[in-house]
């Protein structure tokens, strides 16, 4: 257990506390309740709030509120602006740029992915992009004898799979060019990928009939966060002949599934307007 007994807390250049008993008050008893109260209150704020606003709204000592806000800031749930205000940037389990916290995405996509696999009778995946590669977070197999499977512990180069093409469609032109210059060696291959991504942007779904696994193909639609940024993709894959024969139907299922997960992610975000004078 980490000791906090030597921590000196400052706020606006003023010493607030230098005693371990305050940590005992915050991290035990009502501490857990106060953390949840603070997270819920911050989630309803669309703008940054001051320490005073938070502690008055939640009726807690300023010293306790400061420690809670510092803890949430250190864990990446809250950001402190140069003006000294605090804003919630994610809830527990939601994705952030420097961690592998995909719990919320997995939970919200579980039922829609299951329904997509049942409707399509093909294998379903949820995928995210890490650096230039695609990581599959989960997969669901259909209840049929001949089906496509893959080892999701292996990363794939983004432009080689439908999920990666769907996620790459969210990059701006400069970022996409930078990726292609490094990952794709020939001009002809880059031109083909650019055309595929342009089609994915137009239709909302990437189609890849040249899977990494021979004989496999797939479609994928991007999952977006509340800001419209692409954070993941829903992928349906199977034998190439089946995907080609049912590509329109599979595309529709992938798009609807990704939209459902995107809507659920948006509902988890800070969409309520800030209220005045407390909670």
């Amino acid at each position: 257990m980490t000791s906090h007994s030597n921590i000196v807390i400052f706020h606006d250049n003023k010493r607030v506390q230098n005693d371990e008993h305050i940590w005992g008050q915050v991290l035990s008893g009502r501490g857990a309740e106060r953390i949840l109260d603070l997270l819920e209150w911050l989630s309803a704020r669309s703008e940054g709030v001051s320490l005073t606003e938070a502690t008055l709204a939640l009726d807690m000592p300023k010293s306790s509120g400061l420690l809670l806000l510092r803890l949430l800031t250190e864990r990446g749930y809250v950001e402190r602006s140069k003006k000294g205000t605090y804003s919630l940037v994610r809830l527990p389990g939601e994705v952030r740029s420097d961690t592998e916290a995909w719990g919320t995405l997995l939970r919200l996509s579980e039922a829609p992915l299951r329904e997509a696999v049942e409707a399509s009778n093909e294998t379903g995946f949820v995928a995210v992009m890490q650096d230039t590669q695609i990581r599959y977070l989960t997969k669901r197999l259909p209840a049929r004898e001949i089906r496509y499977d893959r080892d999701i512990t292996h990363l794939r180069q983004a432009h080689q799979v439908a999920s990666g093409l769907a996620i790459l469609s969210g990059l701006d032109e400069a970022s996409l060019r930078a990726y292609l210059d490094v990952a794709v060696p020939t001009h002809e291959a880059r031109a083909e990928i650019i055309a595929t991504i342009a089609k994915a942007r137009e239709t909302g779904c990437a189609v890849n009939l040249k899977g990494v696994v021979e004989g496999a193909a797939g479609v994928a639609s991007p999952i977006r966060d509340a800001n419209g940024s692409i954070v993941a993709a829903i992928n349906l894959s199977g034998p190439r002949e089946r995907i080609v024969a049912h590509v329109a139907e599979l595309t529709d299922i992938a798009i609807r599934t990704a939209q459902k997960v995107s809507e659920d992610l948006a509902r988890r975000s800070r969409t309520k307007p800030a209220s005045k004078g407390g909670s």
Side-chain angles (χ1 to χ4, degrees), residues 113-234:
L113 183 66
R114 180 179 65 251
E115 293 169 2
V117 171
E118 291 173 353
S120 67
N121 214 14
E122 299 294 355
T123 305
F125 302 86
V126 176
V128 296
M129 188 167 173
Q130 293 183 327
D131 296 323
T132 63
Q133 295 182 302
I134 291 300
R135 174 184 174 187
Y136 297 98
L137 299 181
T138 188
K139 68 179 175 182
R140 191 169 187 90
L141 299 174
R144 69 189 310 169
E145 185 175 358
I146 299 176
R147 58 193 183 185
Y148 171 72
D149 196 1
R150 86 168 55 120
D151 183 354
I152 63 173
T153 65
H154 292 170
L155 303 182
R156 303 285 199 269
Q157 199 65 32
H159 66 278
Q160 295 178 335
V161 293
S163 296
L165 294 167
I167 295 175
L168 288 173
S169 71
L171 297 181
D172 58 46
E173 295 305 321
S175 298
L176 178 59
R177 294 281 182 180
Y179 167 86
L180 294 175
D181 287 344
V182 173
V184 184
T186 67
H187 174 74
E188 291 77 11
R190 287 196 293 271
E192 182 178 354
I193 293 168
I194 289 172
T196 301
I197 290 174
K199 185 68 173 178
R201 288 170 174 168
E202 177 184 345
T203 64
C205 191
V207 177
N208 180 33
L209 301 180
K210 301 177 182 178
V212 174
V213 177
E214 185 177 356
V219 301
S221 185
I223 296 171
R224 299 177 182 271
D225 63 15
N227 298 317
S229 300
I230 294 175
V231 295
I234 291 290

Side-chain angles (χ1 to χ4, degrees), residues 105 107-113 115-116 221-224 234 252-268:
L105 175 61
R107 187 174 66 258
L108 295 179
S109 63
E110 181 180 4
L113 183 66
E115 293 169 2
S221 185
I223 296 171
R224 299 177 182 271
I234 291 290
D252 181 63
I253 294 171
I255 291 173
R256 286 190 284 108
T257 304
Q259 288 176 342
K260 175 64 167 62
V261 179
S262 299
E263 291 168 0
D264 289 343
L265 279 177
R267 275 193 287 270
R268 291 272 301 179

